[in-house]
Amino acid sequence: MRLLEARSLGHAVAGRSLVRDATFAMDEGELVALIGPNGSGKTTLLRLALGLIPSDAGSAAIGGTPVKALSPVERARRIAYLPQARPLVWPQPVRDIVALGRFAYGAAIGRLSASDETAVSGAIAACRLEGFEERAADTLSGGELSRVHLARALAADTPLVVADEPVAALDPLYQHQTMQLFAGMAREGRSVLTVIHDLDLALRYATRILWMHEGRIVADGPPRETFTEQRLCEVFGISAKLRDNGGAIRLDIAGPA
Amino acid sequence: MTRITPMLLLAIAAALIGSIMLGSVPLPLDRLLAALAFQSGPDDQLVVWQIRLPRALAAASVGAALGMSGAALQGLLRNPLAEPGILGVSATSALFATFVLYFGLAAAGPLVLPLAAVAGALTATLLVAAAAIRTRSVVTLILIGVGLSSFSAAIMALLMNLAPNPFSLADMINWMLGTVDNRSFDDLLFAAPFMAAGAAILLGSRRGLSALALGDEAAEGMGLDLRRQRLAVIVGAGLATGAAVALAGAIGFVGIVAPHLVRPFLRYDPARLLVPSAMLGALILMLADIGVRVLPTDSELKLGVVASLLGAPVFIWIAARRRLA
């Protein structure tokens, strides 16, 4: 059974088509990078696939159940979603924010079961936030906050994590550590679908790349097969060279095409 | 951390005793206890059972309803400056009450005025709830609330403009200033079911308020039914606030200030905030009402006036010290 399956999804706002005929699926043990230029419809596609906004065309299913038939709690137990916008209103301690990841299991802040506690501590450790547990959210840097939100999503312990630009605010060390964390999850049989703008990270760590351009998925396959100089030019409008560096492909971006 | 709840409980008990002892005729503790146990003369019993106890309980329940509604709405709207009347409930409730005073219908029976106030609150609540079913945006709800409030205020101004005689104008103004003077157990019994229903709905949906701290989209992804959560808070706060307005008229700022003051003691968790906010709201209004009675002014100060005089500076202080976003 597929963790997530989107068939011919389409969505238009005020006559403008944001996503058209998008079909893709997520299986176990995958780290899929969703890439594409600004405004290519990546975030809208994620929302459609999760059923957070209604689709004008096509359908989506999570674990074999159509999203329309899934309650929010059932969905949250199958997929953890980390949106791109992460507003915080109250200066809550880090541990309490991460604990919200257990919401779908009936947990409330300050009232966690033993398994909730284990999941929260595990997520804090995975995002290297030990020592930050009691820090107030408004004393953290943007990158540290990003890791708190990621830990919140990971604390749900779901088979699939869908993350919208999780590494955008992180320094190079944490970007690589986060991608390695995702790759490790994929090796253990869990799956991650992530929007990412750093093409080099996508090329390095993803098991599969979804290329989006003007609302359509224009390519879907392993990095080695889908990364071509011509596609980089067509989709991103950049001139780039691909080098085979002893088995690993490296990307060399020269500038606008 | 949660020691704040027993501390507030103690303070409320002390304030309750104080508000029965203090007043134009001071009542020492022994006479107070005797009167409470129906062991004293009829005068003391009258003062305690007919005047001071219902008045203190009215102040407490109004403060509790406003404190809890404010906390819930601040959680829903993710704004520390949201107040119980932000969705137009208080203003519409006051408008309906003003109608009754304008046409001199309040004399028809003791419950006519509170009935009208509750009807107004329910009308506004239903309008906003109907909008919440259609829209995904909380900003739309706030704008509808602002619109309702402005419209109600405009019609109230019109009614005052056209007031048939100075007495009905004075009635309207006095009612709008907000007071728990002369409240009886009958008034309390009328308002209690609405307050209890509102509080029950708010408490039943409080866990979702924690999830909303991370934003609507994340909360929905975490398993929150956004629409149901909004409806619960709108209806719960509408019932509790409407009943508070019916009992005491318009009393501002308690619903903003009480949640803000207890928030740090509850690790800023919007869910655990509800009960302590209600307790602090009750305490603030009981103390303010004691102050109103003890201050030697020619005509008694109105509770709503004192609450606003104390609350508005705190409001500015909160706005200036906001830490996030």
Side-chain angles (χ1 to χ4, degrees):
Chain A
M1 194 169 23
R2 311 202 112 162
L3 295 177
L4 178 63
E5 190 167 17
R7 277 184 233 100
S8 315
L9 283 175
H11 187 67
V13 172
R16 213 186 105 78
S17 183
L18 300 181
V19 169
R20 269 179 289 185
D21 196 24
T23 299
F24 73 93
M26 290 288 302
D27 289 313
E28 286 168 6
E30 289 194 290
L31 168 48
V32 177
L34 177 57
I35 63 173
N38 294 144
S40 57
K42 304 181 293 293
T43 297
T44 307
L45 176 61
L46 293 185
R47 288 179 181 159
L48 285 172
L50 293 176
L52 292 171
I53 49 175
S55 55
D56 300 335
S59 62
I62 295 172
T65 316
V67 287
K68 289 189 181 105
L70 268 182
S71 74
V73 166
E74 287 172 89
R75 175 180 60 213
R77 289 182 180 185
R78 298 179 189 192
I79 298 182
Y81 174 50
L82 177 64
Q84 188 179 358
R86 295 154 210 158
L88 264 182
V89 212
W90 317 111
Q92 291 172 277
V94 166
R95 195 180 172 76
D96 288 3
I97 297 172
V98 177
L100 286 173
R102 304 302 294 172
F103 183 82
Y105 302 89
I109 295 173
R111 211 186 63 227
L112 300 180
S113 70
S115 60
D116 292 332
E117 292 279 7
T118 314
V120 169
S121 302
I124 286 175
C127 296
R128 299 172 198 253
L129 288 164
E130 291 116 326
F132 285 84
E133 286 95 336
E134 292 302 315
R135 282 275 293 276
D138 64 338
T139 66
L140 300 179
S141 75
E144 287 163 347
L145 263 183
S146 275
R147 278 151 54 208
V148 172
H149 286 284
L150 179 64
R152 187 275 297 164
L154 295 181
D157 255 338
T158 48
L160 175 60
V161 173
V162 173
D164 200 344
E165 294 197 29
V167 301
L170 303 185
D171 63 36
L173 171 65
Y174 282 115
Q175 287 193 348
H176 281 273
Q177 278 177 347
T178 302
M179 292 308 283
Q180 281 171 5
L181 174 69
F182 287 167
M185 286 164 61
R187 280 193 299 275
E188 288 164 15
R190 294 170 72 188
S191 288
V192 179
L193 170 60
T194 176
V195 172
I196 190 163
H197 275 300
D198 188 321
L199 298 176
D200 191 52
L201 287 175
L203 183 59
R204 247 175 228 249
Y205 293 105
T207 60
R208 191 150 62 89
I209 311 270
L210 283 174
W211 294 69
M212 266 198 108
H213 185 47
E214 292 177 347
R216 294 176 188 278
I217 296 177
V218 292
D220 177 359
R224 224 167 230 293
E225 291 168 25
T226 55
F227 259 95
T228 63
E229 289 167 8
Q230 190 193 353
R231 182 166 286 135
L232 283 165
C233 178
E234 284 169 7
V235 170
F236 287 98
I238 54 171
S239 148
K241 287 264 174 281
L242 289 164
R243 287 183 287 111
D244 201 326
N245 186 5
I249 300 180
R250 290 289 170 264
L251 185 65
D252 205 351
I253 299 174
Chain B
M1 187 178 94
T2 42
R3 268 177 312 183
I4 185 143
T5 313
M7 280 167 60
L8 281 171
L9 208 56
L10 274 178
I12 287 173
L16 186 64
I17 293 169
S19 63
I20 301 176
M21 286 169 69
L22 300 169
S24 50
V25 183
L27 211 57
L29 201 55
D30 54 332
R31 274 170 67 193
L32 161 73
L33 290 174
L36 274 177
F38 300 104
Q39 300 296 316
S40 67
D43 290 354
D44 282 4
Q45 279 188 37
L46 179 82
V47 167
V48 168
W49 284 99
Q50 303 296 320
I51 301 172
R52 290 192 189 164
L53 192 57
R55 177 174 182 154
L57 291 177
S61 51
V62 167
L66 295 176
M68 186 180 286
S69 302
L73 283 165
Q74 290 177 4
L76 179 74
L77 304 175
R78 291 196 298 279
N79 190 325
L81 299 177
E83 50 119 11
I86 192 163
L87 297 179
V89 172
S90 306
T92 315
S93 175
L95 171 67
F96 277 48
T98 313
F99 258 113
V100 165
L101 294 169
Y102 180 86
F103 291 108
L105 302 173
L111 287 184
V112 174
L113 191 60
L115 263 175
V118 163
L122 292 179
T123 308
T125 304
L126 285 178
L127 280 172
V128 178
I133 293 173
R134 286 154 198 266
T135 181
R136 285 182 59 88
S137 152
V138 284
V139 177
T140 308
L141 299 183
I142 297 176
L143 292 177
I144 290 172
V146 170
L148 270 177
S149 298
S150 311
F151 187 60
S152 299
I155 298 185
M156 275 162 67
L158 179 70
L159 291 176
M160 288 179 169
N161 194 164
L162 302 177
N165 56 60
F167 300 110
S168 71
L169 183 61
D171 277 350
M172 288 182 214
I173 290 174
N174 274 330
W175 191 81
M176 273 167 41
L177 293 178
T179 178
V180 286
D181 190 18
N182 275 327
R183 294 302 181 268
S184 68
F185 274 113
D186 284 345
D187 295 318
L188 271 171
L189 282 178
F190 172 78
F194 295 99
M195 284 186 182
I201 293 172
L202 291 178
L203 287 173
S205 67
R206 66 180 161 169
R207 205 168 65 91
L209 295 174
S210 298
L212 280 171
L214 298 186
D216 287 349
E217 198 180 6
E220 216 176 353
M222 284 177 333
L224 179 70
D225 189 330
L226 213 51
R227 187 168 292 178
R228 182 181 296 180
Q229 180 69 31
R230 283 186 186 151
L231 279 179
V233 175
I234 290 167
V235 173
L239 286 171
T241 308
V245 176
L247 192 53
I251 292 183
F253 293 105
V254 180
I256 303 177
V257 172
H260 182 80
L261 292 178
V262 290
R263 197 168 271 129
F265 298 97
L266 298 145
R267 296 164 66 97
Y268 296 89
D269 177 15
R272 280 178 292 178
L273 187 62
L274 292 194
V275 172
S277 290
M279 294 171 80
L280 184 60
L283 181 64
I284 291 174
L285 278 198
M286 285 168 93
L287 293 178
D289 191 50
I290 293 175
V292 159
R293 282 182 282 153
V294 174
L295 282 178
T297 46
D298 284 345
S299 60
E300 187 179 294
L301 288 176
K302 297 288 184 190
L303 182 58
V305 177
V306 175
S308 297
L309 280 175
L310 296 173
V314 183
F315 176 89
I316 295 170
W317 174 70
I318 296 172
R321 274 178 34 105
R322 239 186 121 176
R323 286 168 73 180
L324 270 167

